[in-house]
Amino acid sequence: MERLALDRFASPWLRNQHLARYHWAAGLATGKDVLDAACGSGYGSFILRGGGARRVTCVDLSPESFAASPRPARAIRGDVTRLPLASGCVDLYVSFETLEHVEDDASLLREARRVLAPGGLFLCSTPNRDLLSPGHTLADRPRNPYHFREYSITELERLLSRFFPRVSLLGQTWFSDSHSRRLAWAGARSPQAAVRLQQLRNLASLPWETIGRHQPRPFGEAGVPEVVIGVCSNLS
């Protein structure tokens, strides 16, 4: 299983992307009952708890993840497509880098809608296929063996809007429009070469690597994000 643990090696930008997402989400957690779904090693649950959450519930399918580290709150082994939780029981549902790992993405989103209290928020993130896998389509099996599919920005927004009446998108790790066009050109000719080009671009940024570089921010300015974050509400 592909998962980040802070005591194991990961590329600095990948680690900082994960940390920046959770610190941003913690700012929305104050006083709320929070679900950290597909929580992995649990580092994000501690960040959410530190943000002032009233309660954090950790859910993951892997028993190894629960043995790896202590939890800041109750831990439940469960499947995000069949959550062992009552309807309307959480105010904030957080599940980062999960949607692409689940074969039945519709069931994940249907369950997220079910367990949210009225006015609750569902937060998710997923790689932007146009930067991570240029030249591929939604129907193509990703080169990452742990992913069932990867989404473009438009495809993700369309999917989320099927289940939530209000959807907004943010992005992380922004690159220029010209870089995105170069990747699209390369991906149409050699998807593997395009992937290498994006990896080299991340390596070139290593001297300036900080968590702040990956702070989520809204769309509306120039550029294309490497990661897309969905912020979904169950209120019209």
Side-chain angles (χ1 to χ4, degrees), residues 39-60:
C39 61
S41 62
Y43 68 91
S45 302
F46 281 95
I47 295 173
L48 294 167
R49 185 69 170 177
R54 179 169 53 221
R55 178 175 63 175
V56 177
T57 299
C58 311
V59 172
D60 200 281

Side-chain angles (χ1 to χ4, degrees), residues 91-103:
D91 305 307
L92 181 66
Y93 181 130
V94 179
S95 195
F96 293 141
E97 305 302 282
T98 306
L99 201 57
E100 67 274 11
H101 291 270
V102 177
E103 186 170 11

Side-chain angles (χ1 to χ4, degrees), residues 35-161:
L35 172 63
D36 186 15
C39 61
S41 62
Y43 68 91
S45 302
F46 281 95
I47 295 173
L48 294 167
R49 185 69 170 177
R54 179 169 53 221
R55 178 175 63 175
V56 177
T57 299
C58 311
V59 172
D60 200 281
L61 190 59
S62 169
E64 291 82 7
S65 71
F66 290 110
S69 63
R71 304 280 150 173
R74 67 170 178 158
I76 300 173
R77 186 182 178 194
D79 185 338
V80 293
T81 66
R82 298 186 301 275
L83 288 168
L85 299 171
S87 297
C89 67
V90 297
D91 305 307
L92 181 66
Y93 181 130
V94 179
S95 195
F96 293 141
E97 305 302 282
T98 306
L99 201 57
E100 67 274 11
H101 291 270
V102 177
E103 186 170 11
D104 189 355
D105 53 0
S107 289
L108 182 155
L109 296 171
R110 193 175 296 113
E111 279 290 270
R113 177 74 186 267
R114 180 184 69 80
V115 301
L116 275 183
L121 288 178
F122 169 66
L123 309 180
C124 65
S125 70
T126 193
N128 177 6
R129 187 185 70 239
D130 291 339
L131 292 192
L132 269 295
S133 298
H136 288 76
T137 71
L138 184 65
D140 293 330
R141 184 71 188 216
R143 64 184 185 84
N144 187 324
Y146 300 108
H147 292 183
F148 282 99
R149 72 196 64 76
E150 292 171 345
Y151 310 85
S152 70
I153 296 169
T154 302
E155 290 161 354
L156 177 66
E157 185 173 31
R158 187 182 302 127
L159 174 64
L160 296 177
S161 296

Side-chain angles (χ1 to χ4, degrees), residues 113-229:
R113 177 74 186 267
R114 180 184 69 80
V115 301
L116 275 183
L121 288 178
F122 169 66
L123 309 180
C124 65
S125 70
T126 193
N128 177 6
R129 187 185 70 239
D130 291 339
L131 292 192
L132 269 295
S133 298
H136 288 76
T137 71
L138 184 65
D140 293 330
R141 184 71 188 216
R143 64 184 185 84
N144 187 324
Y146 300 108
H147 292 183
F148 282 99
R149 72 196 64 76
E150 292 171 345
Y151 310 85
S152 70
I153 296 169
T154 302
E155 290 161 354
L156 177 66
E157 185 173 31
R158 187 182 302 127
L159 174 64
L160 296 177
S161 296
R162 286 172 49 197
F163 297 90
F164 293 93
R166 186 177 298 174
V167 174
S168 60
L169 299 180
L170 291 82
Q172 278 187 289
T173 317
W174 292 74
F175 294 87
S176 68
D177 292 316
S178 59
H179 176 69
S180 178
R181 288 193 293 269
R182 282 194 296 271
L183 287 179
W185 181 89
R189 290 153 179 78
S190 171
Q192 185 67 19
V195 168
R196 292 288 180 261
L197 180 61
Q198 178 63 9
Q199 291 171 338
L200 288 171
R201 181 64 181 80
N202 274 319
L203 282 170
S205 301
L206 195 55
W208 300 277
E209 181 60 43
T210 65
I211 290 179
R213 176 177 171 242
H214 307 285
Q215 182 67 22
R217 61 178 174 87
F219 284 72
E221 302 175 14
V224 182
E226 190 174 69
V227 177
V228 187
I229 297 174

